[in-house]
């Protein structure tokens, strides 16, 4: 009987740990299987190693953003807005109209140097149309988000 209590207690601890990881540490967005995207994310040439680290950290977010643009998914783009931004829908819809078709081709993303570790500007260049887009990425609760809509990006910092 004691053996079963220990096993059951262990299973409960493992279950709680898995739930904590799932809710707190796992990114709240993920790349879908389709449509496929052709994105290169690189750091601006810099003497500071944190620029390269940030480029690695934001890689998934940027790919998800381009994938949702390409798919015409304004609601999905709006879901990538930083938590302290309100009404991201109109901005997301505008981005889908303006850059959605361009996301069909190769996309180069340059992560620029930033003075603060929880804000990071990026430049998105769409090879298909030659368009360039500047975005602000905001780090909040361990995840990177896109500054979309109205809000105070420093509110969650």
């Amino acid at each position: 009987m004691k053996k079963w209590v220990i096993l059951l207690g262990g299973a409960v601890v493992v279950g709680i740990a898995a739930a904590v990881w799932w809710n707190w540490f796992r990114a709240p967005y993920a790349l879908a299987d389709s449509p496929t995207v052709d994105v290169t994310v690189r750091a601006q040439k810099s003497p500071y190693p944190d620029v390269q680290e940030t480029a690695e950290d934001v890689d998934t977010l940027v790919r998800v953003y381009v994938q949702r643009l390409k798919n015409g998914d304004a609601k999905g783009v709006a879901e990538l807005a930083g938590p302290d931004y309100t009404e991201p829908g109109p901005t997301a819809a505008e981005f889908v109209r303006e850059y959605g078709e361009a996301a069909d081709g190769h996309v180069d993303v340059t992560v620029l140097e930033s003075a603060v570790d929880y804000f990071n500007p990026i430049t998105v260049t769409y090879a298909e149309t030659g368009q360039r887009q500047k975005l602000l990425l905001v780090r909040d609760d361990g995840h990177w988000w896109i500054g979309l809509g109205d809000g105070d990006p420093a509110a969650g910092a």
Side-chain angles (χ1 to χ4, degrees):
M1 180 68 165
K2 189 176 181 181
K3 186 177 182 181
W4 285 109
V5 170
I6 291 172
L7 285 173
L8 182 60
V12 168
V13 168
V14 168
I16 291 171
V20 166
W21 176 84
W22 185 261
N23 290 315
W24 285 344
F25 300 113
R26 182 185 61 88
Y29 42 77
L31 197 61
D33 291 335
S34 69
T36 59
V37 291
D38 181 12
V39 179
T40 302
V41 180
R42 63 177 60 103
Q44 174 185 36
K45 291 185 191 226
S46 171
Y48 304 108
D50 60 328
V51 180
Q52 179 59 42
E53 291 168 14
T54 300
E56 293 167 10
D57 286 349
V58 304
D59 186 85
T60 299
L61 170 63
V62 171
R63 289 175 187 282
V64 169
Y65 171 70
V66 171
Q67 186 178 55
R68 291 179 182 181
L69 281 178
K70 182 176 179 176
N71 204 31
D73 183 6
K75 183 177 182 230
V77 170
E79 290 171 353
L80 301 175
D84 295 308
Y85 286 84
T86 59
E87 302 292 328
T91 304
E94 176 187 330
F95 286 176
V96 167
R97 276 191 308 276
E98 192 166 341
Y99 303 106
E101 288 182 32
D104 196 35
H106 180 73
V107 178
D108 278 311
V109 177
T110 305
V111 177
L112 307 173
E113 281 184 20
S114 178
V116 251
D117 62 355
Y118 48 88
F119 294 148
N120 228 105
I122 64 170
T123 302
V124 184
T125 306
Y126 301 92
E128 185 88 6
T129 61
Q131 292 171 287
R132 292 175 54 110
Q133 180 183 28
K134 293 182 185 237
L135 293 172
L136 176 65
L137 303 184
V138 180
R139 187 173 179 91
D140 188 276
D141 283 338
H143 301 292
W144 284 98
W145 303 92
I146 298 174
L148 292 170
D150 296 323
D152 178 4

